[in-house]
Amino acid sequence: MIFEHLLLPDEMLPTFEDVTPEHLSSLGIKYIFSDIDNTLATYDDATPPENVTCWLDSMKNSGITVAFVSNNSEERVALFNKDLGLTAYSKAHKPLIGKLTAAMNDLGAIPENSLLLGDQLLTDAAAGRRAGMYVIIVPPIKDKKTLFFRFKRWLEVPYVKKFKKLHNSK
C-alpha cells in the first residue's frame, strides 16, 4: 500500500484519556498538538467537557504543553478554547501541515518531542506523519454519519487492520 507509512499511527488507544503524562515522558514528548472534534469532544460539545479540562490540567501540571490544530471553523475552535486560552489553529486543512508547523514554531516545539493526537487516519495521522511527529489515534467519540464521513472511515479500514496485525491487537 503506497500510503501505508503516512496512515499508520505509532499507537492506537481507546480514548484520549489513555494518553498519560507518564507515557509521554517515557517517549520524550513535551508537546501535544490535538484535534478537537471526535478526539477530545463531540461536535455537540461547544465547550470542553469536565474530563477534557481535567486531562488538560494533568498535562499542564506535568509540564506538557497542549495546542489545538483543528480542521473546523475559527468560530468552533475559538468557542471551545475560550476559557482554556491554549494555542489554537482552526481551518488547518490536515493532512496539509502548514498550520501544524506554525503551531510547533509558535511553541518552540520540534517534531522529535511532539505528538499529534487525533481520530482520523486520512487527516490527523497523515499530517502528523508528514510533520515527523509521534502519532496517536483514538476512535471517534461520536462519528458523523454523513456519506462523506462513512466513506472516509471505510477508506481507513485496511490501515486499521494492518496496524492491528503489526501490533498484535484485536
Side-chain angles (χ1 to χ4, degrees):
M1 293 185 185
I2 196 163
F3 297 110
E4 187 171 289
H5 171 71
L6 285 177
L7 300 180
L8 289 180
D10 294 290
E11 294 183 58
M12 295 183 87
L13 297 176
T15 76
F16 72 89
E17 292 170 293
D18 292 306
V19 178
T20 64
E22 298 78 20
H23 181 53
L24 296 179
S25 178
S26 74
L27 297 169
I29 301 293
K30 297 178 182 175
Y31 299 91
I32 299 173
F33 297 89
S34 182
D35 182 44
I36 296 172
D37 295 311
N38 274 330
T39 299
L40 300 179
T42 71
Y43 287 93
D44 302 326
D45 294 319
T47 58
E50 185 177 347
N51 66 328
V52 172
T53 57
C54 289
W55 180 79
L56 291 168
D57 287 343
S58 75
M59 293 300 162
K60 182 179 179 181
N61 293 337
S62 297
I64 297 168
T65 302
V66 179
F68 298 130
V69 180
S70 172
N71 282 353
N72 213 323
S73 70
E74 187 174 333
E75 297 78 21
R76 162 64 173 151
V77 173
L79 180 59
F80 190 84
N81 191 39
K82 181 181 172 194
D83 293 331
L84 300 172
L86 301 176
T87 297
Y89 284 85
S90 59
K91 298 181 183 177
H93 304 292
K94 295 174 285 183
L96 300 179
I97 63 169
K99 297 244 178 137
L100 190 54
T101 301
M104 285 195 305
N105 289 339
D106 283 351
L107 296 174
I110 58 172
E112 293 78 15
N113 66 8
S114 298
L115 163 72
L116 190 289
L117 176 63
D119 70 296
Q120 295 186 57
L121 298 179
L122 297 173
T123 56
D124 301 313
R129 283 283 188 218
R130 292 184 67 226
M133 305 165 95
Y134 195 84
V135 176
I136 295 179
I137 295 294
V138 297
I141 295 169
K142 179 183 174 187
D143 217 359
K144 286 186 173 180
K145 299 296 181 194
T146 65
L147 184 59
F148 176 71
F149 273 85
R150 289 191 344 234
F151 179 68
K152 281 184 14 176
R153 295 297 183 190
W154 176 78
L155 289 174
E156 293 178 343
V157 167
Y159 299 99
V160 171
K161 286 181 180 178
K162 177 76 171 184
F163 177 87
K164 290 178 177 182
K165 183 177 179 185
L166 288 171
H167 296 275
N168 296 318
S169 51
K170 298 180 183 198

